[in-house]
Amino acid sequence: MTRLRTRLIGSWQLADWKVFTTNGAIDPPLGPAERCTGLLIYTSEGTMSAHLTLTDRMRFADASLDGGSVEEKAGAYSSIISYAGTWDADDATGRVIHHVRMATFPNFVGADLERLCVFDDDDTLKLDTPPMAMGGETRPSYILWRRLSGRGA
């Protein structure tokens, strides 16, 4: 098993999220990072799952699984980014590649999302994202993750 792969395996919690323009940092697509939460999981078997969401999402008036008005469903969709699939690590480049099999954003399905891994220590991971389309512009971003430890974390 590669060194990078070994370092990534486990569960990570969102610590920060930044999107950049030529004029500096702006809020990510879901809103300010302090209003968001997230979970990133890498398994030793090669599966991964990533979830970013607003901390306080609006609940539907109809609590049934298929409930929700069109407006409520649109609000729910705009308050979460989630995808899962398999993953590979490249020690030579320090990159992780997410092979997306399912996603809330349909355009991610079938894509390989590449991220540069920067570790401050074994429990702090920054994933630098290549520039991607956001708000009508192509913008770089990063997400900072902190390793979860134990069941109570």
Side-chain angles (χ1 to χ4, degrees), residues 47-93:
T47 57
M48 62 78 53
S49 184
H51 310 274
L52 298 164
T53 182
L54 285 176
T55 305
D56 295 318
R57 297 176 75 207
M58 296 297 296
R59 294 184 176 267
F60 293 174
D62 178 352
S64 60
L65 189 57
D66 60 349
S69 67
V70 171
E71 293 80 14
E72 287 171 326
K73 289 177 181 180
Y77 176 82
S78 66
S79 66
I80 189 167
I81 299 170
S82 183
Y83 65 88
T86 59
W87 66 286
D88 291 305
D90 185 338
D91 279 330
T93 63

Side-chain angles (χ1 to χ4, degrees), residues 51-146:
H51 310 274
L52 298 164
T53 182
L54 285 176
T55 305
D56 295 318
R57 297 176 75 207
M58 296 297 296
R59 294 184 176 267
F60 293 174
D62 178 352
S64 60
L65 189 57
D66 60 349
S69 67
V70 171
E71 293 80 14
E72 287 171 326
K73 289 177 181 180
Y77 176 82
S78 66
S79 66
I80 189 167
I81 299 170
S82 183
Y83 65 88
T86 59
W87 66 286
D88 291 305
D90 185 338
D91 279 330
T93 63
R95 296 181 188 282
V96 62
I97 302 94
H98 301 157
H99 309 289
V100 181
R101 292 190 179 165
M102 60 190 72
T104 53
F105 180 58
N107 297 28
F108 278 175
V109 177
D112 290 337
L113 305 179
E114 192 171 303
R115 309 290 187 249
L116 177 64
C117 302
V118 179
F119 289 91
D120 287 339
D121 53 47
D122 285 339
D123 295 326
T124 306
L125 167 65
K126 184 173 88 164
L127 293 181
D128 282 331
T129 303
M132 56 191 330
M134 286 183 255
E137 293 182 27
T138 303
R139 299 175 172 157
S141 64
Y142 75 76
I143 300 176
L144 187 67
W145 300 94
R146 300 234 192 275

